[in-house]
Each structure stands twice: as C-alpha cells, then as structure tokens.
Amino acid sequence: MQKKTSSEHFTKYGSVYEHSMEGTPGYIGRDWQTPARRNIYNLYHFESEVFIEIKDGMGCLLVGSEPDSAMLEEFSIHRFIRIKPGVYFDIVSVTSSLSYRMLMPIDFNYKMVALPSSYFFKRILPRIRISEIHGYYYNIRSSGYQFKGETHSFFELTFVDRGCLITEIEGERYELLENELILYAPGQFHNQSVPNDNSCSYVTIIFSMDIEQSDEHPQDYRAILNRKFSYDKKIHSLMKTFVRESDSVLPYTNSLMICILQEIIIRLVQDSFVGKAPDIPIPGLRQTYQDELMERVIAFIDENICEPITIAELCQKFSMSRSSMQLLFKENIDTTPKKYISDLKLSRSRDMILSGKYNVSEIALMMGFNSVHYFSRTFTQKYNIAPSEYSKKLLPQ
C-alpha cells in the first residue's frame, strides 16, 4: 500500500511544502520528463537537500535510507516535497508521463547508486478487460434437453442455479451441479444437456475479454479454462447482483454489469492460484434467479393483462422455450402460464363488474377475450355463475 508524503511516516525522509521554491537565491532548477516504467535500477543520492515540484501528472516516490530494493518504501506524490540530504530515491510516473522540476543548491553534489537487484514497481493497471457483453440469458431446461453444441469466437460463462447440467468441452465431459460454473474459451467446441429425470436452470453470459499475462503469473489465462468451479459465496453474490442489475433502468447499468462480470473473472483467476476449498452454500438463496425471472414475467403479464397475451409472446419476450416457461410456472407457483393469465383476467373482470361501470360486453372487450361468449363460459367455469348473473346478484338494480 502506498503511503502519503503528508503522513507522519514520511518525516524521516523529508516533508511537504506549499509554495514553489522557484527563484529562491542559491538554488538552481532542472525540468524532468519521465515516462511510465516498471523496473528501477538506480537511485539518486544527494549530499544536500532536494526539492521536487510536480508540474503535470502524478508520481510515486521510491525512497529509502539504504540502496536496498527490499527496503524501499513507496509514497504517492502529487505536490511539492523536500527530500533530506543522504536519502536514496527515485520518482516513477503512475500516469502516462510525469513532468516535474528538481531544485538543488548551486553547489550540489550527487551520485547515481545502482541497486543490487532491480526494483519492480507494480503499476495498478487492468490486466483483465471485458470490452462487451454480447448476450445474457436465464435458461430453464427440462429433463432430456440436448444442445448439440457450437464453436464461437467469444467467452461464455455458464452458472448452474438449480439441477444438473452436463457439458462437453472438446470431448471432455463435465457435470455441473447447483452453484457450479464453467468458462468456455473462444474457439472451444462445447455442448450441453440435462440428464433424464432432472431439470436445470442456469445463467449464460457471452462476452469479449482480453487477459494480459504477466511475468509473475504466466499461466493465469489457462488456469480458468477446462475446469468447473464449485460454490463460492462472493461469486454467488456477484451472479445474483448481475441478474438483478440486468433489469435495471438506471444510467450506466451496462457499465456496472461489465464491472460485475469482470470481478467474477478476476476472482476465478485468484481462486485458481489460492486453491481454496469450496464454501458451503448459504440456505435460502437457491431460488434467487428463478424468483427474479418469475417476478419479471409476472410483472409483464400484470402490465399487459388487458391484451390477448399468448404463451408464444411470453416465450419470445423472455427468450425461453415453451417447455421452459411451463416449468418455470410449475416450479414456482404450481400452475401453468395459460391458467395464470386466464385467472388474472377473470379476477380483473370480476372487479370491473363490481365497479358497476361496464357491461359484460365491454368487459370482455377491455380484458382482451376473444368473444363475449368465450368470456362468459370461462367466467362461469371459474366462479360457478355467469357474469351477467353475478352482476345482477351483487349490484343493486
């Protein structure tokens, strides 16, 4: 962690000051322009005090009492600083470039001291970049589902919310259970299937990503491929947040979704090196994804209940097959989509009858029924009384 030059800890090396030393009698100044770099091989060592005044950009001061790479400390520098005589130091740019002025006494004396081993400055740069999310889906598949497979030029993440999903990557078979995930790389052939007597709900995210390998961890890209990841509390929470944010209408939601996905990938990379044991799933969270999808479907039906909503329209709206939509309703509210829509229309129709503002024909038309006769027949089957009789029974004549 970098320290601040204004902190108490910096006082053994120097101090900060407010007003420029430019033009001070007995001092000369030199302008420096330094690019961003990582390896430091030498340090300055002045016998007199030195003043550093940042002109443009931001830098990091590497400083120590001895020319020892292991003993150097890092201080963030973006203001005027005075460095005491006899201190070993150098300045690294943490922006694309850094310009500063160094002021010394006219009779200054200094030397460049080579470090026994180079100091590696760890710049804070994004090594994992997700440039675009091309698609994200919540899939509900019934027993025996088969996807023959595909190859494409994107990354694809699959996270199983419930049930069991079998996938093959270039001929190698993986079984994904609840809260497990796998990552397909660009160009990898993969297929998916659901075992018989089972069902599966899972999230699919397709995206473009660049991963910069480092000298420290040259295998980090391959470490997250061709393996399944077990339950992890942080990743599960991130997946939950991703699904929730995907329906948000707030500004910059798309940017937030990319950030969430980027964090998921970073944590997968980190876990591949740590090799930690899987967490124990938290009870009560298994319904997260279906609950949120169900809420979206129900909200859509509620908003459009006066229209002649079809199951095909629902499936197209939420990118689901008919069997998946049926399974979603069955598992969550123990009914069918058709029955749910019909019951809601009839409930609203009954309320409209009670209001006394509309006749039966108007209600049938306003609620999107195909005909008055169909409305009357359906209403009678549901409530054991015809809508016209219901109106006469409950409303004063």
Side-chain angles (χ1 to χ4, degrees):
M1 178 67 72
Q2 291 180 358
K3 307 176 186 68
K4 298 170 66 175
T5 51
S6 57
S7 68
E8 182 69 23
H9 192 69
F10 183 67
T11 56
K12 63 181 177 180
Y13 302 118
S15 58
V16 298
Y17 59 97
E18 296 296 329
H19 303 290
S20 175
M21 291 285 294
E22 190 70 34
T24 301
Y27 283 83
I28 59 172
R30 295 289 184 269
D31 291 325
W32 296 83
Q33 187 84 23
T34 179
R37 52 184 171 146
R38 292 194 177 187
N39 292 94
I40 311 301
Y41 301 95
N42 302 285
L43 298 175
Y44 291 103
H45 183 261
F46 283 78
E47 294 180 0
S48 57
E49 61 182 2
V50 179
F51 297 88
I52 306 293
E53 299 184 355
I54 302 297
K55 300 295 185 182
D56 185 50
M58 186 169 177
C60 178
L61 176 70
L62 306 179
V63 62
S65 300
E66 300 291 336
D68 184 349
S69 299
M71 301 298 292
L72 292 179
E73 297 186 69
E74 297 182 3
F75 289 87
S76 177
I77 172 176
H78 54 86
R79 58 178 68 192
F80 299 166
I81 61 168
R82 166 187 167 271
I83 298 177
K84 293 180 178 180
V87 171
Y88 296 86
F89 72 94
D90 197 358
I91 297 175
V92 180
S93 175
V94 296
T95 49
S96 58
S97 65
L98 173 71
S99 61
Y100 61 93
R101 190 163 181 79
M102 186 182 295
L103 296 105
M104 307 80 69
I106 294 176
D107 57 349
F108 75 92
N109 191 13
Y110 86 102
K111 59 182 176 180
M112 296 291 294
V113 180
L115 288 167
S117 60
S118 66
Y119 183 89
F120 183 78
F121 177 71
K122 297 180 180 179
R123 298 184 65 208
I124 302 176
L125 298 170
R127 289 180 43 219
I128 294 178
R129 298 178 180 88
I130 295 177
S131 56
E132 184 174 356
I133 296 175
H134 304 289
Y136 50 94
Y137 323 101
Y138 189 91
N139 309 283
I140 302 176
R141 307 301 185 189
S142 54
S143 172
Y145 166 77
Q146 296 280 342
F147 172 59
K148 293 182 179 180
E150 64 180 356
T151 301
H152 52 65
S153 57
F154 310 108
F155 285 90
E156 180 176 333
L157 183 148
T158 291
F159 178 88
V160 174
D161 174 40
R162 170 182 282 186
C164 175
L165 183 71
I166 305 299
T167 183
E168 289 187 1
I169 304 177
E170 298 178 339
E172 187 170 351
R173 185 178 186 273
Y174 300 86
E175 182 180 80
L176 301 179
L177 301 178
E178 186 172 314
N179 295 315
E180 294 185 334
L181 68 83
I182 201 162
L183 184 73
Y184 307 116
Q188 284 192 319
F189 178 83
H190 58 278
N191 59 25
Q192 295 175 334
S193 62
V194 178
N196 293 327
D197 302 321
N198 211 318
S199 62
C200 186
S201 306
Y202 58 98
V203 179
T204 296
I205 307 174
I206 300 173
F207 56 100
S208 292
M209 174 175 67
D210 295 316
I211 300 181
E212 176 190 338
Q213 296 184 9
S214 68
D215 296 334
E216 296 175 289
H217 303 298
Q219 302 297 318
D220 57 3
Y221 174 74
R222 289 177 285 260
I224 59 176
L225 298 180
N226 302 328
R227 59 175 293 186
K228 68 176 182 179
F229 290 85
S230 298
Y231 177 81
D232 179 277
K233 288 187 293 185
K234 291 179 180 177
I235 290 176
H236 186 258
S237 177
L238 288 167
M239 290 298 302
K240 177 181 176 181
T241 304
F242 182 92
V243 172
R244 183 174 63 249
E245 293 297 336
S246 67
D247 288 326
S248 174
V249 295
L250 294 175
Y252 304 106
T253 291
N254 291 344
S255 297
L256 180 57
M257 290 169 64
I258 288 178
C259 291
I260 294 169
L261 179 58
Q262 199 155 273
E263 183 177 351
I264 290 172
I265 298 299
I266 291 170
R267 293 199 178 280
L268 291 180
V269 172
Q270 291 176 334
D271 289 351
S272 68
F273 288 105
V274 175
K276 70 187 188 79
D279 293 323
I280 299 174
I282 301 173
L285 290 181
R286 63 180 300 181
Q287 276 294 112
T288 298
Y289 303 106
Q290 285 202 20
D291 286 348
E292 294 180 356
L293 178 60
M294 195 73 229
E295 287 178 6
R296 292 164 54 200
V297 175
I298 295 299
F300 176 80
I301 293 173
D302 186 71
E303 291 170 4
N304 298 276
I305 195 60
C306 294
E307 304 295 330
I309 304 171
T310 65
I311 307 306
E313 181 184 359
L314 275 183
C315 293
Q316 182 179 17
K317 170 70 177 177
F318 295 97
S319 303
M320 298 173 66
S321 66
R322 181 176 288 269
S323 59
S324 296
M325 184 66 72
Q326 298 280 0
L327 188 61
L328 176 69
F329 273 77
K330 179 64 177 176
E331 289 189 347
N332 287 274
I333 56 177
D334 196 28
T335 189
T336 65
K338 183 177 180 180
K339 188 175 186 304
Y340 179 85
I341 293 170
S342 177
D343 287 349
L344 184 58
K345 282 181 176 291
L346 291 173
S347 177
R348 295 285 179 87
S349 300
R350 186 174 58 177
D351 294 339
M352 293 175 74
I353 292 174
L354 290 173
S355 72
K357 298 179 180 178
Y358 313 99
N359 61 37
V360 173
S361 296
E362 290 174 322
I363 293 172
L365 178 64
M366 294 170 67
M367 292 307 300
F369 285 96
N370 294 335
S371 68
V372 177
H373 299 296
Y374 177 71
F375 167 58
S376 296
R377 185 171 67 252
T378 307
F379 190 96
T380 302
Q381 290 173 349
K382 174 71 174 176
Y383 297 112
N384 296 315
I385 186 173
S388 56
E389 293 299 318
Y390 185 77
S391 174
K392 293 176 183 178
K393 184 178 180 180
L394 296 179
L395 298 175
Q397 300 300 315

